[in-house]
């Protein structure tokens, strides 16, 4: 509750701060301060300090999982702000508004991670989506940004229409929007109304997390959006929607997981194959990262497939590992002029620190041991093995991870083993420090993943 | 009227909306078709809300006045749709300023 209300208030405050704060530095400082406060109150709520006592009539419930998840996502956003907020200021003239929209998205993320009724799910997902349409199109003079915004908007609102229809059909079958009572309703048998409603809801959620076969908008939108906002969309937003998805499965699909498993298995297999194989053929690193985000979504989907305690821990770890590494890579990518693989040629010599940290991020995404990416993939796959069904899916996932090594290592190869005229990139010392801190966290989580789960159970 | 009529009407509207989104090339018309989809869901929600309330009136048990939340949802959908319209039209106007066209075929430059 703390996080939802404070992020909304801070978003409004940031919007008006554009009148008083004209300097970019001041706006940036206000945004970082707001995020630190947000992270603080969220952790305080984890320890039982509630600033607001609002009776939500059971529409929202804040358990330790959702609060820990919020804390992880706020932490990632804080790192994102520290690294890239200077580049957010460069996107256009409405500096304060970009930050305020990001705060609104965070408010939506905290609703999506703690909803208890389909009404709140719908509102959370929409509060995440609508500011993102604006952020995608924030580079107003750039045709690519325009096109991406329009495409994202049309696809997003189309999937909203599907979601609303699904919810209406479920309501018709059940007479309530509660997801808690949905399990029992489903055990009594499925009627066509409920079944079609659940299917439409599943499709629209797959749209939002860009799982195949509903992924086609992702590469274009991620490619066209300003790179700073692509970084935000591909990481924090995607993880936030995934937690909503997991919560939905917790309540709604859980009791009939046997019947849904086949659908989920098809989505996972298609997402892994399409994401990884298409990423191999990309020439631009930005577009490669867009496909890699589809591929990583395939791995996150394992949490919905196996659906046990291990998979919840796995999703938490996966989000942290994926968000940190991708934020880091994008932060470096924003500083470059050339987004192709050749742009990275010779970076190992010209910018040794950037190249070294970038290598750690890429290793983590590829899932090489000692990094958080490896432990996250390990948790996901072992939770899938625990279910004892669909063993071939795990083998497919491992093979796809091997394919992913090819395109991630192409960047490393360009940086260290190719001669190039890559110029020295001027970055501030705080930027370097941020990159080193992210690398340290990634390795720390790779060795001691338990530190994330500590508050989950105690 | 039996509930089936409402279901068929809402589904017909929804399908017209989906077909319009997939087939039409004019952004404004695609946008109208999305609104049609949302309003089909609104109609269905209101009809179901009435149906659940009538079922409860015939045999009162459990929670008080079921069906009210369905109508509540409709208001939220309207509010969200209004927010979406304002953002969407702004995006369309922005695109029109740059290209002087509202044709969706413009959207294939990112493909390569």
């Amino acid at each position: 509750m703390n996080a939802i209300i404070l992020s909304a208030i801070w978003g409004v405050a940031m919007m008006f701060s554009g009148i008083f704060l004209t300097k970019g530095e001041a706006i940036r400082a206000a945004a970082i301060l707001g995020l630190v406060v947000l992270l603080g109150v969220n952790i305080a709520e984890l320890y039982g300090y509630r600033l607001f006592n609002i009776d939500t009539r059971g529409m929202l419930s804040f358990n330790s999982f959702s609060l820990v998840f919020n804390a992880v996502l706020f932490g990632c956003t804080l790192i994102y702000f520290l690294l890239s907020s200077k580049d957010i200021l460069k996107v256009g003239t409405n500096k304060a508004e970009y930050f305020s929209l990001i705060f609104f998205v965070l408010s939506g993320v905290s609703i999506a991670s703690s909803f208890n009724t389909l009404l709140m799910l719908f509102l959370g997902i929409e509060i995440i989506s609508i500011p993102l349409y604006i952020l995608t199109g924030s580079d107003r003079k750039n045709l690519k940004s325009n096109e991406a915004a329009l495409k994202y908007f049309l696809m997003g609102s189309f999937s909203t229409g599907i979601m609303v229809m699904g919810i209406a059909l479920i309501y018709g079958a059940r007479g309530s929007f509660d997801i808690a009572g949905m399990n029992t309703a489903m055990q009594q048998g499925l009627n066509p109304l409920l079944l079609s409603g659940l299917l439409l809801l599943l499709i629209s959620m797959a749209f939002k997390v860009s799982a195949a076969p509903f992924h086609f908008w992702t590469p274009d939108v991620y490619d066209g959006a300003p790179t700073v906002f692509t970084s935000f969309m591909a990481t924090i937003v995607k993880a936030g929607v995934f937690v909503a998805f997991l919560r939905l499965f917790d309540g709604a699909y859980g009791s009939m997981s046997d019947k849904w498993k086949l659908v989920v298995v098809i989505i996972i297999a298609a997402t892994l194959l399409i994401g990884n194989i298409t990423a191999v053929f990309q020439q631009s690193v930005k577009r490669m990262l867009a496909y890699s985000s589809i591929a990583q979504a395939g791995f996150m989907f394992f949490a919905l497939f196996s659906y046990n305690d291990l998979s919840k821990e796995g999703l938490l770890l996966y989000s942290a590992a994926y968000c940190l590494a991708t934020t880091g890579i994008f932060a470096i990518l924003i500083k470059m002029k050339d987004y192709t693989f050749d742009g990275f040629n010779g970076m190992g010599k010209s910018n040794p620190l950037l190249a070294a940290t970038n290598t750690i991020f890429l290793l983590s995404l590829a899932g090489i041991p000692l990094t958080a990416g490896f432990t996250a993939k390990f948790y996901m796959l072992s939770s899938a093995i625990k279910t004892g069904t669909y063993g071939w899916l795990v083998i497919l996932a491992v093979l796809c991870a091997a394919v992913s090594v090819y395109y991630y290592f192409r960047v490393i190869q360009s940086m260290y083993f190719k001669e190039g005229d890559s110029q020295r990139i001027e970055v501030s010392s705080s930027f370097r420090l941020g990159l080193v801190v992210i690398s340290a966290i990634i390795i720390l989580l790779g060795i001691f993943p338990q530190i994330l789960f500590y508050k989950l159970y105690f | 009227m039996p509930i089936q009529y409402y279901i068929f009407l809402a589904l017909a509207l929804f399908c017209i909306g989906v077909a319009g989104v997939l087939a039409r090339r004019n952004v404004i018309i695609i946008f109208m078709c999305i609104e049609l989809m949302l309003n089909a869901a609104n109609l269905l929600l209101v009809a179901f809300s009435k149906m659940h309330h009538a079922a409860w009136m015939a045999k009162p048990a459990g929670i008080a006045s079921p069906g009210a939340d369905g109508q509540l949802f409709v208001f939220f959908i309207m509010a969200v749709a209004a927010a979406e319209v304002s953002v969407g039209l702004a995006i369309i106007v922005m695109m029109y300023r740059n290209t002087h066209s509202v044709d969706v075929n413009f959207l294939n430059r990112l493909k390569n």
Side-chain angles (χ1 to χ4, degrees):
Chain A
M1 201 78 224
N2 292 356
I4 296 175
I5 293 177
L6 271 184
S7 57
I9 291 175
W10 206 272
V12 175
M14 286 298 294
M15 206 150 62
F16 285 105
S17 76
I19 303 169
F20 311 109
L21 304 175
T22 44
K23 268 194 184 153
E25 272 305 305
I27 294 169
R28 182 170 169 257
I32 291 173
L33 176 74
L35 207 55
V36 170
V37 171
L38 207 57
L39 188 61
V41 294
N42 192 66
I43 291 173
E45 187 166 359
L46 204 52
Y47 284 90
Y49 298 104
R50 292 184 163 213
L51 300 180
F52 310 95
N53 273 321
I54 296 171
D55 180 16
T56 57
R57 302 251 158 196
M59 285 188 169
L60 295 167
S61 78
F62 302 90
N63 53 19
S64 56
F65 179 70
S66 63
L67 289 173
V68 171
F69 203 93
N70 283 350
V72 167
L73 289 188
F74 292 157
C76 290
T77 318
L78 182 61
I79 288 173
Y80 163 73
F81 270 5
L82 290 174
L83 284 180
S84 306
S85 52
K86 277 186 189 146
D87 300 288
I88 298 179
L89 296 174
K90 284 181 201 152
V91 171
T93 46
N94 308 318
K95 298 184 172 91
E97 279 81 352
Y98 302 139
F99 290 103
S100 95
L101 288 171
I102 288 176
F103 276 103
F104 290 140
V105 173
L106 289 180
S107 173
V109 165
S110 24
I111 293 176
S113 69
S114 50
F115 71 91
N116 244 356
T117 69
L118 294 173
L119 172 61
M120 282 294 149
L121 169 71
F122 168 69
L123 285 181
I125 297 286
E126 283 309 299
I127 295 173
I128 293 173
S129 302
I130 293 176
L132 280 183
Y133 304 148
I134 309 172
L135 288 179
T136 311
S138 52
D139 195 356
R140 279 184 301 183
K141 292 282 166 7
N142 187 343
L143 264 184
K144 277 180 98 179
S145 174
N146 287 184
E147 183 186 333
L150 187 61
K151 198 172 247 178
Y152 192 23
F153 167 72
L154 289 179
M155 288 298 149
S157 42
F158 183 56
S159 75
T160 300
I162 295 175
M163 172 190 275
V164 169
M165 195 64 187
I167 292 175
L169 290 174
I170 293 172
Y171 177 71
R174 290 213 37 239
S176 128
F177 293 112
D178 258 10
I179 57 163
M182 222 128 119
N183 271 332
T184 45
M186 248 160 270
Q187 273 152 0
Q188 290 156 9
L190 286 174
N191 54 9
L193 223 52
L194 190 59
L195 195 64
S196 45
L198 286 172
L199 203 60
L200 287 178
L201 192 56
L202 184 77
I203 288 173
S204 75
M205 289 300 282
F207 243 114
K208 301 278 184 196
V209 296
S210 68
F214 312 105
H215 66 285
F216 42 83
W217 57 271
T218 321
D220 293 349
V221 170
Y222 284 11
D223 199 14
T227 314
V228 254
F229 298 132
T230 310
S231 166
F232 184 68
M233 266 159 45
T235 55
I236 288 123
V237 171
K238 181 166 275 197
V241 179
F242 249 107
V243 75
F245 213 158
L246 186 72
R247 236 182 129 87
L248 184 66
F249 260 63
D250 233 8
Y253 296 79
S255 68
M256 26 184 260
S257 54
D258 296 341
K259 291 172 192 138
W260 281 111
K261 228 156 219 179
L262 190 64
V263 181
V264 176
V265 164
I266 292 169
I267 292 180
I268 293 178
T271 310
L272 283 172
L273 283 172
I274 292 175
N276 280 303
I277 291 175
T278 334
V280 168
F281 301 106
Q282 300 308 317
Q283 295 309 316
S284 141
V285 175
K286 193 175 173 187
R287 216 170 159 83
M288 181 274 276
L289 284 171
Y291 279 104
S292 116
S293 87
I294 298 175
Q296 305 279 351
F299 273 98
M300 290 199 208
F301 236 100
F302 270 101
L304 309 179
F305 165 73
S306 48
Y307 177 63
N308 45 30
D309 275 353
L310 206 57
S311 72
K312 275 191 175 178
E313 292 174 3
L315 186 66
L316 198 60
L317 188 60
Y318 211 110
S319 314
Y322 168 69
C323 289
L324 287 173
T326 309
T327 309
I329 295 176
F330 269 113
I332 293 171
L333 191 66
I334 295 162
K335 305 278 179 198
M336 322 236 331
K337 289 184 191 75
D338 185 3
Y339 285 174
T340 58
F341 281 94
D342 292 337
F344 282 88
N345 282 357
M347 201 177 158
K349 281 204 187 101
S350 56
N351 302 283
L353 184 86
L354 260 61
T357 47
N358 204 6
T359 307
I360 293 174
F361 303 147
L362 288 163
L363 290 178
S364 173
L365 281 183
I368 305 297
L370 278 189
T371 58
F374 169 74
T375 358
K377 280 197 171 68
F378 176 79
Y379 266 77
M380 282 298 181
L381 295 184
S382 59
S383 77
I385 290 170
K386 244 189 177 176
T387 61
T389 47
Y390 294 104
W392 59 269
L393 192 65
V394 177
I395 297 171
L396 180 75
V398 173
L399 289 177
C400 283
V403 172
S404 78
V405 169
Y406 171 76
Y407 55 81
Y408 290 132
F409 275 40
R410 252 175 90 190
V411 181
I412 300 179
Q413 190 199 16
S414 301
M415 287 192 300
Y416 285 105
F417 302 112
K418 280 190 180 163
E419 293 298 317
D421 49 347
S422 136
Q423 274 149 25
R424 196 171 162 69
I425 304 167
E426 287 306 323
V427 291
S428 61
S429 52
S430 60
F431 184 78
R432 287 163 198 278
L433 184 69
L435 289 181
V436 172
V437 168
I438 301 186
S439 316
I441 298 174
I442 285 176
I443 292 173
L444 190 71
L445 283 179
I447 302 170
F448 306 108
Q450 302 89 336
I451 47 176
L452 264 189
F453 314 138
Y454 173 70
K455 271 314 284 181
L456 214 53
Y457 302 114
F458 303 106
Chain B
M1 263 205 289
I3 187 75
Q4 282 88 344
Y5 292 6
Y6 292 101
I7 295 178
F8 286 130
L9 175 62
L11 286 182
L13 284 175
F14 186 74
C15 291
I16 293 170
V18 171
V21 171
L22 298 178
R24 296 305 291 259
R25 302 280 71 163
N26 187 321
V27 177
I28 307 277
I29 293 186
I30 292 179
F31 199 30
M32 283 158 61
C33 290
I34 289 170
E35 290 299 308
L36 202 58
M37 287 165 69
L38 290 177
N39 282 325
N42 281 351
L43 182 66
L44 200 57
L45 276 169
V46 173
F48 280 140
S49 154
K50 185 87 171 54
M51 178 189 87
H52 288 305
H53 188 71
W56 180 79
M57 286 293 271
K59 205 169 57 178
I63 45 168
S65 68
D69 44 356
Q71 304 198 15
L72 201 70
F73 203 116
V74 172
F75 282 108
F76 278 104
I77 293 177
M78 283 175 179
V80 166
E84 244 173 25
V85 167
S86 60
V87 170
L89 285 178
I91 290 173
I92 292 172
V93 167
M94 177 177 78
M95 193 189 91
Y96 184 77
R97 272 190 195 147
N98 286 332
T99 64
H100 297 286
S101 136
V102 285
D103 197 283
V104 89
N105 284 332
F106 157 80
L107 293 182
N108 50 22
R109 285 174 210 202
L110 280 171
K111 271 273 160 61
N112 32 52

